[in-house]
Amino acid sequence: MTKLFKIHKEERWAALLFLVVVIALQAVLFERYWPIFSHFIDNSWTQFIRNFRMSGFDPIAYSILTDWHVGYDLLRHPLLPFLLYPLHLLNGVLWQLTGANCAQIIMGVLLTASAFWALMLHRRILREVVGAGRWASTLLTALMLGFGMVAVATMVPDHFCFSLMLLLLTVYRAGTKMKAGRQFSTCETLLLLVATAGVTLSNGVVVVMAVALTNGRQFFRPRFLLTAVVLPLLLLVGIAEAAVMLTAESVTAVGDSVSGQFAYTAERASRLDILVENFFGESLQLHRKYILGDVLLKRPVIIRYTWAAQYVVEAMLLLFSTIGLWLGLRRNTRFTWLLMGILAFNLLLHIVVGFGINEVHIMAAHWVFVLTLGMGYLFTQKRQFLPISSGIFLFVITVYLWIYHGYQLVHYLSWPLIK
């Protein structure tokens, strides 16, 4: 663990770049909301929800840090509100010292740390597992940060940035163990499963896939399966159900949330449109129309891009990722199957089953890293034409995404707040 959170010499410039960008994104959000969120009123949740408009993301964490309550749907996020409780206590101390509600500062620091280590883990996977070079690994990590819903997830006070970091930690540990011929221990599996599924229960599936592909037949030993997988999941579900029974507000919230998340869109919104415009579309490039709008607040489920070139960018990114994953199957089969399994699980959950399909793009942090990690195999080929041509194209796309989303985010967050 000491080595895991140590910045290596070759990573220093990339680390500095990522840290500066993540802090800058937080600064933009801070400048907009601090004047109003730092002042406490009796009904703070109304104050937060009335002014915070960032796609379908919710400022629940601000509310929990201000006046602790369960807040989240415990069947989906069984440990998250309890993990935030110590920070609520810290906010109380800072409140007494400064006279201001410091929930935004505390959450900003937590998000900055999570986003930074997510980016560093992503780069390390490319370097140590995929085998891409230093500059290619930095470029592809910068590309992932340039994706619309990744940039937004690093800013907003929701759980997606935490999920991104924990999922990449799981993928990194699995990849390095596969490469070294080692296996997950019972203790590490248990800790990863509790932490990852505790933040978002469905992410526990990724941990199970990672451990199963890494350990092989040993994963199915009754003792390991019971101790490292079954018991932690039962514990999480038990904690969630106990908290639901003890908290009246959660009973209603859970019922409404689960049924609402499985409600399908209007018949005219086909799954193909959702796949093109939202799952792969909005996740990678924000639409200019109804920029960062919420489907619960007049944003249509389906929005078309105003530039035809944006469809070309989306198609090329998917093409490069597909080619990369195909090359990965020939070079590092088990790890590539893990990446493809993560993408397949999210497609099954959101597109086939229909969970959260109305706002599927906000879930991008759970899977979008598969695309850039898959592209890493383009830079491991001996024939120089493919790495050079891929590098030039992806560099241009990365610059475009950073400029485009940087402008759109700053412009959107400069709009007047609701009084």
Side-chain angles (χ1 to χ4, degrees), residues 80-381:
L80 189 55
F82 307 107
L83 294 174
L84 291 175
Y85 182 72
L87 297 178
H88 159 69
L89 298 179
L90 174 62
N91 187 37
V93 173
L94 295 175
W95 208 331
Q96 294 296 321
L97 295 174
T98 65
N101 181 5
C102 296
Q104 191 178 359
I105 294 177
I106 294 173
M107 198 64 189
V109 172
L110 195 59
L111 288 168
T112 298
S114 298
F116 173 75
W117 284 111
L119 295 169
M120 294 306 298
L121 288 167
H122 183 276
R123 187 183 184 278
R124 288 179 184 177
I125 294 169
L126 288 165
R127 286 287 287 138
E128 300 175 25
V129 180
V130 175
R134 289 184 299 173
W135 296 108
S137 300
T138 303
L139 171 62
L140 290 173
T141 304
L143 174 62
M144 185 188 72
L145 180 57
F147 291 157
M149 281 298 146
V150 174
V152 175
T154 64
M155 302 170 67
V156 296
D158 215 320
H159 61 87
F160 294 98
C161 189
F162 307 144
S163 290
L164 178 64
M165 191 267 289
L166 290 168
L167 289 172
L168 284 169
L169 174 61
T170 301
V171 173
Y172 174 71
R173 295 295 292 167
T176 53
K177 288 178 184 294
M178 289 176 186
K179 192 172 182 179
R182 294 183 283 112
Q183 296 185 345
F184 280 98
S185 66
T186 300
C187 182
E188 184 174 6
T189 303
L190 189 150
L191 290 174
L192 274 176
L193 190 57
V194 169
T196 307
V199 171
T200 300
L201 191 62
S202 60
N203 289 342
V205 175
V206 175
V207 177
V208 173
M209 280 195 295
V211 177
L213 286 169
T214 303
N215 290 17
R217 293 180 181 178
Q218 299 299 316
F219 172 80
F220 297 98
R221 289 183 303 167
R223 182 178 178 181
F224 181 88
L225 199 60
L226 179 65
T227 307
V229 179
V230 177
L231 289 180
L233 289 177
L234 289 177
L235 175 64
L236 289 173
V237 173
I239 291 174
E241 291 194 357
V244 166
M245 293 176 65
L246 293 173
T247 311
E249 63 174 331
S250 296
V251 175
T252 303
V254 169
D256 292 344
S257 175
V258 173
S259 61
Q261 289 291 333
F262 276 100
Y264 186 50
T265 59
E267 292 182 3
R268 58 187 176 185
S270 71
R271 275 171 161 78
L272 179 60
D273 281 339
I274 290 173
L275 197 66
V276 173
E277 301 292 350
N278 294 349
F279 189 85
F280 288 120
E282 183 83 354
S283 297
L284 306 180
Q285 302 174 88
L286 300 179
H287 291 79
R288 288 194 297 165
K289 289 184 177 180
Y290 298 95
I291 182 74
L292 292 176
D294 191 334
V295 293
L296 299 179
L297 296 171
K298 300 182 180 180
R299 180 193 189 274
V301 173
I302 299 300
I303 301 173
R304 308 294 179 185
Y305 285 113
T306 54
W307 298 336
Q310 291 179 289
Y311 290 106
V312 176
V313 171
E314 179 183 340
M316 292 302 293
L317 286 171
L318 294 179
L319 176 62
F320 273 66
S321 177
T322 302
I323 295 173
L325 289 170
W326 177 74
L327 292 171
L329 285 174
R330 300 170 59 189
R331 181 186 178 109
N332 193 347
T333 305
R334 283 192 299 163
F335 183 73
T336 310
W337 276 116
L338 173 59
L339 296 180
M340 295 173 67
I342 294 171
L343 180 58
F345 168 67
N346 281 275
L347 284 168
L348 174 66
L349 179 64
H350 299 303
I351 303 301
V352 178
V353 177
F355 181 78
I357 196 169
N358 281 349
E359 49 183 12
V360 68
H361 44 277
I362 73 171
M363 319 286 182
H366 294 163
W367 61 267
V368 76
F369 53 85
V370 170
L371 303 184
T372 43
L373 293 179
M375 291 177 195
Y377 288 104
L378 297 169
F379 297 91
T380 61
Q381 305 305 302

Side-chain angles (χ1 to χ4, degrees), residues 70 72-79 81-82 239-240 243-244 247 250 254:
V70 170
Y72 288 100
D73 174 355
L74 288 176
L75 293 182
R76 293 170 55 201
H77 314 287
L79 294 184
F82 307 107
I239 291 174
V244 166
T247 311
S250 296
V254 169

